[in-house]
Short mmCIF file of all heavy atoms in Angstrom, two decimals:
data_model
loop_
_atom_site.label_atom_id
_atom_site.label_comp_id
_atom_site.label_asym_id
_atom_site.label_seq_id
_atom_site.Cartn_x
_atom_site.Cartn_y
_atom_site.Cartn_z
N SER O 1346 -19.90 12.76 14.89
CA SER O 1346 -21.02 13.00 14.03
C SER O 1346 -20.69 12.99 12.52
O SER O 1346 -21.52 12.76 11.70
CB SER O 1346 -21.74 14.34 14.39
OG SER O 1346 -20.87 15.41 14.08
N GLU O 1407 -15.32 -32.16 -33.18
CA GLU O 1407 -16.46 -31.30 -33.11
C GLU O 1407 -17.75 -31.98 -32.64
O GLU O 1407 -18.55 -31.49 -31.94
CB GLU O 1407 -16.67 -30.73 -34.51
CG GLU O 1407 -17.87 -29.74 -34.55
CD GLU O 1407 -18.04 -29.12 -35.96
OE1 GLU O 1407 -17.22 -29.38 -36.81
OE2 GLU O 1407 -19.01 -28.36 -36.16
N ARG O 1545 26.97 -9.19 -5.34
CA ARG O 1545 27.40 -8.21 -6.36
C ARG O 1545 28.84 -8.56 -6.82
O ARG O 1545 29.20 -7.99 -7.90
CB ARG O 1545 27.33 -6.81 -5.76
CG ARG O 1545 25.97 -6.23 -5.65
CD ARG O 1545 25.93 -4.76 -5.19
NE ARG O 1545 26.72 -3.92 -6.06
CZ ARG O 1545 26.79 -2.61 -5.99
NH1 ARG O 1545 26.21 -2.01 -4.99
NH2 ARG O 1545 27.46 -1.85 -6.87
N GLU O 1549 30.61 -13.59 -14.27
CA GLU O 1549 30.41 -14.56 -15.31
C GLU O 1549 31.78 -15.10 -15.71
O GLU O 1549 32.78 -14.53 -15.32
CB GLU O 1549 29.66 -14.03 -16.50
CG GLU O 1549 28.31 -13.46 -16.16
CD GLU O 1549 27.74 -12.68 -17.34
OE1 GLU O 1549 28.51 -12.25 -18.23
OE2 GLU O 1549 26.51 -12.47 -17.35
#
Side-chain angles (χ1 to χ4, degrees):
S1346 66
E1407 182 179 356
R1545 286 185 60 175
E1549 302 169 339

